[in-house]
Amino acid sequence: MLSHASASLSMDQSLGNARKFIAGEGYMYPSLFLLKKGGPIVTSYEHPSVLHIDSDDDTGDPEKVYNTVVMFKNVKKEDEDAINLVARELAAKTCPDAVGLIMVVLYRQFTQQEHKKLPGDYQAAMDPDALRAVHGCYYVKGDRDPAMLLIPFLDRTVGIKDEEDGPVSAIAGKKRDITFVQSVWVYKDKTLDPWLKYPY
Amino acid sequence: MDYPAMHSSLTAIEVIFPGGLCAFSQQDGLLAFAGDELLLYHPSLPREVAAKLNDAAKHASIAFRIVNTRNFDDSESGRKAQEAFLKRLAKILGEYGLEDVRVSMDPCTLAIAFGGSCFARPIERLEGFLRTQAGLNRYHLISGNGTVCRWERPVVPAFEVKLEPDRRAITEDDITDLRIMLETLGGDVDAFVRRI
């Protein structure tokens, strides 16, 4: 059985990897994390929305929290449903101790009134729509309350306006310009609902 | 922290820090939420930039605070110290029955969020443990309703060493005093006085 403390630290590590990936490659596909203490989850699973599945190798360490990552294609409304469907099916099939999700979401944009409240010198300094966020959430088996987190980041990479341009590695000569703000796990978040529903 | 406050805080750093946020990140600058404020760490923040940032932070819509230390930063084996700390923390949480907690390890601050059922338990003992941990400079504990308590290791003020004495004009009395001192020691006093 996995405690929340262990699950949060394991997801913290995955978030760190996600940040590095976003800073380097630019685009991160939504990823589902299946955590299990003491042994890896080996799964063969296919779904039209799933791109790739990768599992930690077995090191024989009974205390290690093993991770299986299920990577999804771009998120549209039907993919959001697919993430929850796949999470439920894999939770039933593999019995992980915890299930989490990490994905990039668009942060809420400034309203005109909010923008007007900025100090005058700063109003024109930055694109008010440039703020995005890495959203993380997870559930430990038996607890329906999700832990959530939002890591806002500024992406001002020249020439790349949104994810429709595709992975930045495919666009020659573009240098990443990304600044992250670190954030912490909370039980409730006023800004965002969890994208993942309780999968057990 | 709400969206406008965060955005205006980031914009302030973008405007004030030389090279903007991009340079700030590349120079190992860190930004981290700690409850309702944004912590700002930079390994060598110029004094004049810090002053400008502190001025900006007085604006109502800007909410960041400059910090000078990171957790587990004062040890060469910081990573090992952090791993050892996490093992001890997990043991302590288990001993106190504090299983329903979320731990976020950030270089700027350690955050521990408590579930509703376990927050009534003796948090003081956990705080007692945390405050004795070498290398841990900052933490905050969060209940379901928001930040409950935050702690920061007090910074010992450095002694100011004056390297240069106050400059003042040499008076006739000074020269007389010097002449008397040199005469008692012997030597060519007039030649020495002419030289200075």
Side-chain angles (χ1 to χ4, degrees):
Chain A
M1 196 62 192
L2 201 61
S3 68
H4 268 293
S6 300
S8 58
L9 286 169
S10 180
M11 288 294 287
D12 249 15
Q13 206 171 10
S14 299
L15 280 162
N17 293 337
R19 283 174 52 156
K20 280 180 199 162
F21 187 81
I22 291 167
E25 295 291 313
Y27 185 72
M28 187 195 155
Y29 292 98
S31 299
L32 191 70
F33 292 80
L34 309 171
L35 309 179
K36 197 173 180 84
K37 190 176 178 182
I41 295 168
V42 180
T43 181
S44 57
Y45 180 84
E46 286 187 12
H47 187 279
S49 294
V50 171
L51 271 179
H52 179 64
I53 299 180
D54 195 17
S55 289
D56 284 347
D57 292 332
D58 192 354
T59 60
D61 181 356
E63 293 301 311
K64 180 178 160 72
V65 178
Y66 289 84
N67 223 330
T68 295
V69 187
V70 182
M71 201 178 282
F72 288 84
K73 295 176 185 171
N74 281 337
V75 171
K76 300 186 188 86
K77 185 62 192 162
E78 57 268 29
D79 293 316
E80 187 187 336
D81 296 339
I83 289 171
N84 280 297
L85 174 75
V86 170
R88 278 200 305 275
E89 286 188 354
L90 284 176
K93 189 179 172 189
T94 64
C95 295
D97 293 326
V99 179
L101 177 71
I102 295 176
M103 63 189 292
V104 175
V105 296
L106 286 173
Y107 214 55
R108 186 174 69 85
Q109 295 180 0
F110 260 134
T111 63
Q112 280 191 335
Q113 281 303 318
E114 287 166 349
H115 196 248
K116 276 182 192 167
K117 282 182 188 169
L118 277 176
D121 295 345
Y122 302 150
Q123 279 188 16
M126 197 181 288
D127 176 3
D129 300 337
L131 208 54
R132 296 165 188 225
V134 178
H135 168 53
C137 61
Y138 72 83
Y139 294 86
V140 170
K141 191 176 182 182
D143 186 353
R144 289 181 164 272
D145 286 335
M148 281 183 288
L149 159 150
L150 206 62
I151 300 178
F153 66 93
L154 283 157
D155 185 352
R156 288 164 299 145
T157 306
V158 178
I160 299 172
K161 297 212 171 129
D162 55 39
E163 282 78 3
E164 286 172 12
D165 288 348
V168 74
S169 54
I171 306 167
K174 305 294 181 193
K175 196 180 169 192
R176 307 300 300 168
D177 178 359
I178 290 181
T179 306
F180 288 97
V181 179
Q182 185 56 290
S183 190
V184 299
W185 293 108
V186 291
Y187 282 71
K188 289 173 187 168
D189 193 300
K190 285 179 274 184
T191 322
L192 195 75
D193 288 327
W195 279 65
L196 188 66
K197 295 181 178 71
Y198 185 66
Y200 294 99
Chain B
M1 179 180 272
D2 60 11
Y3 179 87
M6 182 173 60
H7 202 288
S8 52
S9 300
L10 293 174
T11 312
I13 300 166
E14 169 79 3
V15 170
I16 293 167
F17 192 84
L21 277 162
C22 183
F24 178 81
S25 288
Q26 285 169 355
Q27 293 168 24
D28 294 330
L30 294 170
L31 297 164
F33 285 130
D36 54 355
E37 65 181 356
L38 184 66
L39 299 179
L40 186 153
Y41 169 85
H42 188 276
S44 55
L45 193 64
R47 202 172 278 186
E48 61 274 19
V49 177
K52 282 183 189 172
L53 287 168
N54 280 327
D55 273 351
K58 288 173 189 163
H59 192 281
S61 68
I62 295 172
F64 56 72
R65 186 163 64 88
I66 298 170
V67 294
N68 300 318
T69 55
R70 290 181 296 186
N71 285 340
F72 304 105
D73 195 29
D74 51 357
S75 164
E76 281 184 17
S77 54
R79 192 178 170 82
K80 279 187 180 173
Q82 187 170 321
E83 283 172 7
F85 163 76
L86 285 174
K87 276 186 185 171
R88 285 198 297 274
L89 177 64
K91 197 177 165 193
I92 291 282
L93 291 172
E95 281 174 11
Y96 295 167
L98 299 169
E99 293 287 329
D100 190 17
V101 298
R102 278 79 161 160
V103 183
S104 298
M105 286 297 293
D106 180 77
C108 279
T109 183
L110 164 76
I112 303 179
F114 292 84
S117 59
C118 73
F119 190 67
R121 293 177 192 242
I123 303 296
E124 298 83 20
R125 293 177 68 189
L126 177 64
E127 286 202 271
F129 161 76
L130 292 173
R131 291 181 189 194
T132 57
Q133 297 307 300
L136 186 69
N137 291 319
R138 200 172 292 105
Y139 67 73
H140 65 288
L141 311 178
I142 310 162
S143 75
N145 299 326
T147 300
V148 172
C149 55
R150 68 184 82 209
W151 174 83
E152 197 161 338
R153 192 175 297 284
V155 178
V156 180
F159 289 105
E160 268 193 32
V161 179
K162 218 170 207 179
L163 295 174
E164 207 175 343
D166 289 339
R167 287 179 181 274
R168 64 182 175 88
I170 296 173
T171 62
E172 283 299 320
D173 288 345
D174 291 334
I175 293 174
T176 307
D177 289 346
L178 183 64
R179 188 186 294 275
I180 292 166
M181 188 182 79
L182 288 170
E183 277 175 351
T184 57
L185 295 171
D188 189 350
V189 177
D190 289 333
F192 181 80
V193 170
R194 276 197 298 276
R195 269 172 57 200
I196 61 171

